[in-house]
Amino acid sequence: MIIVPEAAVAPLLSRADAFRAVEDVFAAMATGEARNFPVVREAIGWADALYGFKSGFDKAGMALGVKSGGYWPGNMGRGLPNHQSSVFLFDPDTGRLQAVVGGNLLTALRTAAAAAIAVNHLARPDAKVLGMIGAGHQAKFQLRAVAEQRAFERVVAWNRPEDAPMLDGLAEVADEIGLPFESVDLDRLGAEADV
């Protein structure tokens, strides 16, 4: 069995890798070669946490797995991401466990890849303004992945007023990738954003 701790995931998987893998699975789902199983998600009655399981099988890619994890809202105060998960991969021929992989970065890259794929296939080719609603941990991954799909000229963003300072981190990412960034209200975001 292979064990890949969270700290070892980043050098093994790029945004481009995640995009290709998720796009392949979406294509397999469209042809019936892959499917997700029902999600289980429950409050555990401790630490205000939600915990659950997401699983599926991709016959085209011969991947069978389950992600176990959830949301612990007090983690940010401990210097940890609020979302925590681990991925378990199984041999589809025998059901034997093949790998345990830290799932936090995988989740962020997968979610960002799904958004990027949607923009790649559905957004107008001439889209120039990217709108971001929310500036949590996932938003930075979303911004980087989606920005690669069109020749965006600027980013407009909104976050809940009580969490507005989190927009600073999103602004840093926009600056890093060369996009002007502006915090706006929801009405303006809706009026200006192409995506």
Side-chain angles (χ1 to χ4, degrees), residues 11-103:
L12 300 174
L13 183 69
S14 69
R15 272 194 313 278
D17 294 332
F19 185 97
R20 282 189 301 277
V22 174
E23 190 173 47
D24 288 349
V25 169
F26 284 174
M29 290 177 81
T31 63
E33 289 288 302
R35 65 189 184 108
N36 290 328
F37 305 134
V39 172
V40 174
R41 185 173 177 165
E42 298 290 335
I44 66 170
W46 182 258
D48 292 324
L50 296 173
Y51 181 72
F53 302 93
K54 296 179 179 179
S55 59
F57 175 55
D58 175 10
K59 186 176 178 183
M62 291 307 288
L64 174 65
V66 61
K67 179 174 86 169
S68 170
Y71 179 75
W72 278 259
N75 276 2
M76 192 178 297
R78 294 180 173 102
L80 298 169
N82 288 344
H83 293 272
Q84 292 291 318
S85 63
S86 299
V87 175
F88 301 84
L89 299 173
F90 302 89
D91 180 333
D93 291 322
T94 66
R96 292 187 65 178
L97 182 63
Q98 291 182 311
V100 178
V101 184

Side-chain angles (χ1 to χ4, degrees), residues 151-169:
F152 291 108
E153 295 176 354
R154 63 190 178 99
V155 177
V156 292
W158 174 89
N159 204 36
R160 297 179 309 182
E162 63 271 22
D163 294 326
M166 294 175 76
L167 287 165
D168 293 342

